[in-house]
Amino acid sequence: AWLELIVSAVTAVVVIVSIVVQLGGMHKIDEGHVGVYYRGGALLKSTTEPGFHLMIPILTTFKQIQVTLQKDEVKQVPCGTSGGVMIYFDRVEVVNVLDSSRVYDTVKRYSAEYDRPLIFDKVHHTLNQFCSSHTLQEVYVDLFDQIDESLEKDLQEELNEMAPGLRVLAVRVTKPNIPDEIRKNYESMEAEKTKLMIAHQKQKVDEKHAETQRKLAVSAAEKEAEIQRIQNDARVKQKETEKKLALIQNEMYLAEEKSFVDADHYRVVKAAEAEKLRFTPQYLQALMYQSIANQTKIYFGPDIPSMFPTTTVTPAQAP
């Protein structure tokens, strides 16, 4: 009896689970999404994270809200310029992300298709405001590179008030389509502008080439001048060296001549001193006797003439 009771209970559970699964009571929330639930058309406050969950079949329904980066593409956006020209933007891409903690508030106010009023409609409105305040020239050429940033800024400012959890990360706007006649005029203008740019670039290249040649000539002249200066400096240094060598040789010659003169003077002085010491009275008297002895005359008779006075030579009288 107990075994039959257990089998019956298990069978009942299996049947209930099968019915729940078949009727949609068990469901799955994908990664990067948050589940929101409706009962009788009313949004429930409870939300679920990724994984398997249970709900009351038939009475409760659910939707998955993406909370990772998503890209919304707004296509064929009409836009009228301040001059009354109608243009079309083929595609406007808006990269945005919804904070998971703001899912309930955002869905409560703008439904699960919140990006329709907050992104798509706002892109149309903001782009038309931009175009209506600018001319075709500004939208198509002059300010086109600023449309992305301007649109992103305006969208985020409005979303901060309307849906604080929704952030715009990037906006990319394609080149707008303009009437064929105006487009042909712009194409011809671009062609002329391209020719002008080419001519201007060629002129710049020629000027650059001329400037390069001038710099090369100046550099060559400066190099030549530097070589001349170095050679002149070398010549000056050589002359200065030769001058110094000449001065040294002159000084050597003067010193040598002075040494010769000093030597002669010393020799003469010493010879004079020697002669002075040699010519004593005795030496002078001996020279006198020698001179007399050299005379060959002989006198005979009683009277021999006296040739020399009988005076005594004193040393003071000697030369």
Side-chain angles (χ1 to χ4, degrees):
W2 284 102
L3 181 60
E4 292 178 356
L5 183 61
I6 293 173
V7 172
S8 299
V10 171
T11 303
V13 170
V14 171
V15 171
I16 293 173
V17 171
S18 300
I19 294 173
V20 170
V21 172
Q22 290 178 1
L23 295 177
M26 180 175 288
H27 61 282
K28 180 183 69 172
I29 302 298
D30 296 328
E31 186 64 42
H33 294 73
V34 171
V36 294
Y37 299 87
Y38 298 86
R39 183 173 297 164
L43 178 67
L44 301 180
K45 290 186 177 180
S46 60
T47 59
T48 56
E49 300 295 329
F52 287 101
H53 302 277
L54 292 175
M55 65 180 184
I56 301 175
I58 301 176
L59 296 180
T60 306
T61 58
F62 79 99
K63 287 186 178 180
Q64 297 192 70
I65 306 300
Q66 185 175 350
V67 291
T68 56
L69 291 180
Q70 62 177 339
K71 180 176 69 174
D72 293 325
E73 292 187 358
V74 186
K75 298 181 179 180
Q76 292 298 319
V77 181
C79 189
T81 65
S82 60
V85 179
M86 182 62 67
I87 61 178
Y88 293 87
F89 292 90
D90 286 338
R91 186 174 66 258
V92 178
E93 297 177 354
V94 181
V95 180
N96 60 91
V97 62
L98 178 62
D99 189 351
S100 59
S101 62
R102 295 282 186 169
V103 170
Y104 173 77
D105 294 335
T106 304
V107 174
K108 180 70 174 178
R109 298 180 62 182
Y110 304 104
S111 78
E113 305 295 332
Y114 64 88
D115 53 353
R116 179 60 58 182
L118 296 178
I119 301 296
F120 288 81
D121 294 345
K122 288 298 180 184
V123 166
H124 280 265
H125 175 70
T126 306
L127 264 183
N128 275 275
Q129 281 188 329
F130 181 85
C131 292
S132 62
S133 59
H134 296 88
T135 63
L136 177 61
Q137 174 68 23
E138 293 173 337
V139 175
Y140 192 69
V141 179
D142 299 339
L143 302 180
F144 178 74
D145 59 340
Q146 302 178 17
I147 295 179
D148 297 346
E149 297 179 359
S150 177
L151 182 57
E152 178 183 349
K153 179 182 176 182
D154 293 341
L155 282 176
Q156 190 60 62
E157 288 179 353
E158 294 191 18
L159 291 177
N160 289 338
E161 298 180 0
M162 300 178 65
L166 184 59
R167 291 187 299 121
V168 176
L169 303 180
V171 174
R172 191 177 73 88
V173 180
T174 60
K175 196 75 171 178
N177 293 325
I178 60 177
D180 291 339
E181 294 182 359
I182 300 177
R183 180 177 53 80
K184 291 179 181 179
N185 292 334
Y186 273 106
E187 289 176 354
S188 62
M189 288 173 57
E190 286 297 323
E192 294 297 328
K193 186 184 296 184
T194 302
K195 292 180 181 179
L196 181 61
M197 289 178 60
I198 293 174
H200 182 64
Q201 290 297 326
K202 185 177 183 303
Q203 181 181 0
K204 290 177 64 176
V205 170
D206 293 340
E207 292 177 355
K208 191 68 176 179
H209 179 71
E211 180 67 16
T212 302
Q213 294 298 322
R214 186 188 68 81
K215 289 183 178 180
L216 290 175
V218 171
S219 177
E222 291 178 350
K223 182 178 180 180
E224 183 67 22
E226 183 67 16
I227 293 174
Q228 291 294 332
R229 186 186 66 78
I230 294 174
Q231 291 178 350
N232 292 335
D233 291 343
R235 294 191 188 96
V236 170
K237 290 182 179 179
Q238 182 180 1
K239 293 297 182 182
E240 290 178 351
T241 302
E242 292 175 354
K243 180 180 179 181
K244 290 180 180 179
L245 290 175
L247 290 175
I248 293 173
Q249 291 177 353
N250 292 337
E251 290 177 356
M252 292 174 62
Y253 177 77
L254 291 176
E256 184 179 4
E257 291 296 324
K258 182 178 180 182
S259 64
F260 290 156
V261 172
D262 291 343
D264 289 341
H265 176 71
Y266 180 77
R267 181 177 55 78
V268 171
V269 171
K270 290 300 180 180
E273 290 179 355
E275 292 294 328
K276 182 178 180 180
L277 294 175
R278 190 163 61 90
F279 287 105
T280 61
Q282 292 80 6
Y283 180 71
L284 293 174
Q285 189 173 9
L287 288 177
M288 181 184 68
Y289 292 151
Q290 183 179 0
S291 176
I292 293 173
N294 290 331
Q295 299 292 328
T296 57
K297 293 181 180 182
I298 300 176
Y299 296 93
F300 298 94
D303 296 325
I304 298 174
S306 180
M307 294 179 61
F308 302 98
T310 59
T311 58
T312 302
V313 179
T314 61
Q317 294 176 345

